[in-house]
Amino acid sequence: MRGIITATAHYVPDKRLTNKDLEKMVDTNDEWITTRTGIKERRILDQDKGASYMANRVAEKLIEKRGISADEIDLIILATATPDMYVPSASALVQNNIKANNCWAFDINAGCSGFIYALITASKFIAAGKEKKIIIIGVEKLSAYVDYEDRNLCVLFGDGAGGVLLEPGEDDQYGIQDYILRTDGKGAQYLNLKAGGSIMPASIATVSNKLHYLYQDGKIVFKFAVKGITDTFLRLIKQNGLIADDIDLFIPHQANYRIISAVGEKIGLPAEKIMVNVQKYGNTSAATIPIAMSEAYDEKRIKKGDKIVLSAFGAGFTWGSVLLNWAK
Ligand code: COA
């Protein structure tokens, strides 16, 4: 039994942080940010709200769009590296907020690959037959972990959430067909948030040394991202007897337009078959793919039978690609 996506939804905060705004905060300019990343603006959640606030909105929209009640949800899987708190999970907060009284819920942290990890995890529960309605959400409040005095980082990230409802399909030619997912922990040194975990609990020193902010070696991450996404995309379509031309829409992780266009060239897909919205939201980590998928669906760029590949790369390193045939 394959999982099919029966609803998509996304939520982004109203507050915009534009390149012009950033020019007033750090030594940068619109031209540098646009040419290096393609990003024009990002959304920022209010300081007094947590990631679950955005995930709640997405879960409510999914339930409303599908015309079901929250009590029908069997499982909530939330992909995030920026939960409201370490304990309990953000998915527990969402379960309570939307009053999904008959479900269980857990978080997955796989960095920017979190959504596709969660989607494949959910598809296994669908295949096993017990859970019939699973909410999968990618959500991040990265503004809480970005140093707005560090021009290397603060131009890249934003806040947002997106998600899907996964249900059993009746026809195996639709739904999630195949995937390749990978992890290589050697990448931990290049993209991390050092303090606040069990190896380096919060202290006056960790705060004064700014160790609660994200760190990355941008050049290394860039190289691995292009290679990881290209390799898994090409191997995935090949093992399914497809060529790039057979893919109707490619929805890559939206980290940086240069990564997306470098991958596009290597896999041989024209720009009109690649979903891009990084200019509007920046990198929202686990949320980029479900936000992009939801927007693509709303813009009628997805129709029944379309072959779609989702590809991500993120902290860990984690990466991979998923092949699905759209069912609705
Ligand atoms: N504005 C202006 N100048 C900036 C800047 C900014 N916001 N950020 C960095 N610079 C400067 C650097 O200090 C450096 O100056 P120097 O040469 O005087 O030292 C110069 O610009 C070039 O920096 P560099 O790091 O070589 O730029 P780059 O071409 O590698 O682009 C990234 C930087 C971060 C945009 C790029 O490496 C990248 O996109 N990496 C992948 C990041 C990513 O997507 N991560 C998440 C993956 S899940």
Side-chain angles (χ1 to χ4, degrees):
M1 182 93 63
R2 296 194 195 279
I4 59 165
I5 291 171
T6 54
T8 57
H10 66 282
Y11 171 88
V12 291
D14 291 335
K15 188 176 163 201
R16 291 160 200 260
L17 180 68
T18 66
N19 291 352
K20 287 281 168 212
D21 296 329
L22 285 163
E23 284 180 6
K24 294 176 208 140
M25 297 161 66
V26 288
D27 180 13
T28 190
N29 57 74
D30 176 50
E31 202 254 324
W32 192 97
I33 302 172
T34 307
T35 52
R36 303 289 175 123
T37 72
I39 301 166
K40 285 292 192 185
E41 59 182 37
R42 329 88 195 110
R43 301 301 180 95
I44 305 293
L45 187 65
D46 297 341
Q47 265 184 13
D48 63 349
K49 296 189 171 87
S52 69
Y53 175 86
M54 298 182 284
N56 289 335
R57 305 284 87 75
V58 170
E60 286 161 359
K61 285 186 195 191
L62 290 170
I63 286 166
E64 193 193 318
K65 284 184 174 186
R66 185 73 177 110
I68 56 174
S69 94
D71 282 344
E72 291 177 63
I73 301 301
D74 298 308
L75 171 61
I76 299 171
I77 308 182
L78 207 135
T80 187
T82 56
D84 298 38
M85 301 170 252
Y86 275 110
V87 180
S89 68
S91 54
L93 305 180
V94 173
Q95 175 280 325
N96 183 48
N97 264 296
I98 66 166
K99 300 189 172 50
N101 296 315
N102 296 310
C103 82
W104 56 298
F106 62 91
D107 287 6
I108 285 181
N109 176 353
C112 301
S113 307
F115 179 77
I116 60 170
Y117 271 48
L119 186 66
I120 293 308
T121 304
S123 76
K124 302 298 178 187
F125 285 107
I126 294 286
K130 187 157 178 176
E131 281 75 17
K132 310 268 191 244
K133 287 186 170 50
I134 306 182
I135 285 181
I136 304 130
I137 295 175
V139 57
E140 304 286 4
K141 185 187 177 188
L142 285 154
S143 60
Y145 299 94
V146 164
D147 177 3
Y148 285 96
E149 293 180 349
D150 176 1
R151 68 177 183 173
N152 291 292
L153 257 290
C154 70
V155 302
L156 302 175
F157 296 100
D159 302 334
V164 300
L165 185 67
L166 199 73
E167 298 183 56
E170 281 165 12
D171 182 345
D172 274 358
Q173 70 169 303
Y174 297 113
I176 295 165
Q177 302 293 309
D178 198 7
Y179 63 93
I180 299 174
L181 295 177
R182 290 289 178 270
T183 302
D184 183 354
K186 286 197 281 298
Q189 59 190 304
Y190 304 116
L191 182 48
N192 57 49
L193 199 162
K194 293 187 176 60
S198 55
I199 197 163
M200 203 189 288
S203 68
I204 290 168
T206 61
V207 173
S208 29
N209 290 321
K210 295 191 163 195
L211 297 176
H212 294 271
Y213 289 126
L214 271 173
Y215 162 82
Q216 80 164 340
D217 182 328
K219 276 192 199 309
I220 299 229
V221 174
F222 191 102
K223 239 176 35 198
F224 275 93
V226 173
K227 185 175 179 332
I229 292 177
T230 305
D231 283 356
T232 54
F233 177 101
L234 291 174
R235 276 200 292 132
L236 183 64
I237 60 168
K238 190 170 176 209
Q239 76 193 25
N240 284 275
L242 302 170
I243 56 168
D245 211 30
D246 296 322
I247 303 304
D248 298 292
L249 189 65
F250 174 45
I251 308 180
H253 170 47
Q254 310 281 311
N256 178 321
Y257 183 68
R258 280 163 59 218
I259 295 180
I260 298 172
S261 64
V263 170
E265 256 175 51
K266 284 179 192 287
I267 62 182
L269 268 190
E272 62 271 18
K273 284 190 171 187
I274 306 177
M275 181 64 195
V276 177
N277 63 5
V278 70
Q279 70 282 2
K280 294 195 286 185
Y281 307 125
N283 182 349
T284 57
S285 190
T288 72
I289 290 178
I291 293 174
M293 195 194 299
S294 173
E295 285 200 339
Y297 185 77
D298 292 349
E299 291 164 11
K300 306 203 180 334
R301 291 184 66 179
I302 300 179
K303 58 180 186 319
K304 185 170 179 168
D306 276 357
K307 290 188 169 46
I308 297 175
V309 176
L310 317 174
S311 297
F313 185 89
F317 292 138
T318 56
W319 70 99
S321 293
V322 174
L323 173 67
L324 54 98
N325 289 351
W326 202 261
K328 279 186 69 203

